[in-house]
Amino acid sequence: MNTKSFLLSLIFISFGYFINAQNWITGVSFLPNPANECDNILIVVNGNLSASNCTYVSTHVISGSNITIDINTSCSGIGLPVITPYSNSVNLGMIPSNNYTLTVNQYSTFGLQETNVSSLNIGTCCNAISDVSTVSSSNCIGDVTSFIDGGT
């Protein structure tokens, strides 16, 4: 192999390696919308991978009012440099009512590539107000008692 062929091969391999590093997030959404604390919350992250041999793995952490989803992409072997869409669903389950900061980080072999930050407001399931009172202000053990339900 001559020097020219070697250098061209090295450039081709390097170009392919760096091309594979260009993965990106196209959107982040959640279901249901609007979401409440009694709902099973599903976060959907859509993105693109830069080659046919790229894959992804995701993890998530809920800490206080912060939800962080990390998506780790990698490209191994030889693949075609073609944009490959992906959709990653993260099931958070039921989480308490709160206004959360949702951070989605996408990493490649070279480190952090992109961060997408949005807000996720989780409402309450029931706006009922309890208002139960007795008809009589004094009750003794054994007395018949009636209640008035003034709640919603």
Side-chain angles (χ1 to χ4, degrees), residues 16-138:
Y17 193 65
F18 287 110
I19 284 289
N20 286 340
Q22 301 304 312
N23 305 311
W24 63 95
I25 298 169
T26 58
V28 177
S29 59
F30 60 93
L31 298 169
N33 188 5
N36 291 315
E37 62 190 353
C38 57
D39 294 328
N40 190 29
I41 309 299
L42 188 69
I43 306 295
V44 179
V45 180
N46 293 311
N48 288 314
L49 302 172
S50 62
S52 61
N53 62 322
C54 296
T55 59
Y56 64 90
V57 175
S58 70
T59 58
H60 72 277
V61 175
I62 302 173
S63 178
S65 62
N66 296 308
I67 301 170
T68 303
I69 299 172
D70 289 330
I71 298 177
N72 295 297
T73 64
S74 62
C75 304
S76 60
I78 298 173
L80 297 174
V82 59
I83 296 173
T84 308
Y86 75 87
S87 183
N88 182 37
S89 298
V90 178
N91 188 351
L92 300 179
M94 289 185 262
I95 58 176
S97 173
N98 200 352
N99 191 21
Y100 293 90
T101 299
L102 175 61
T103 304
V104 179
N105 297 312
Q106 184 164 286
Y107 296 89
S108 74
T109 307
F110 303 105
L112 180 64
Q113 280 193 308
E114 182 178 2
T115 298
N116 182 302
V117 179
S118 58
S119 181
L120 174 60
N121 187 24
I122 306 296
T124 59
C125 291
C126 182
N127 292 326
I129 299 170
S130 175
D131 185 17
V132 178
S133 59
T134 60
V135 174
S136 175
S137 60
S138 63

Side-chain angles (χ1 to χ4, degrees), residues 3-22:
T3 306
K4 185 176 180 180
S5 296
F6 176 74
L7 288 175
L8 283 174
S9 297
L10 186 61
I11 289 170
F12 180 73
I13 290 170
S14 297
F15 179 71
Y17 193 65
F18 287 110
I19 284 289
N20 286 340
Q22 301 304 312

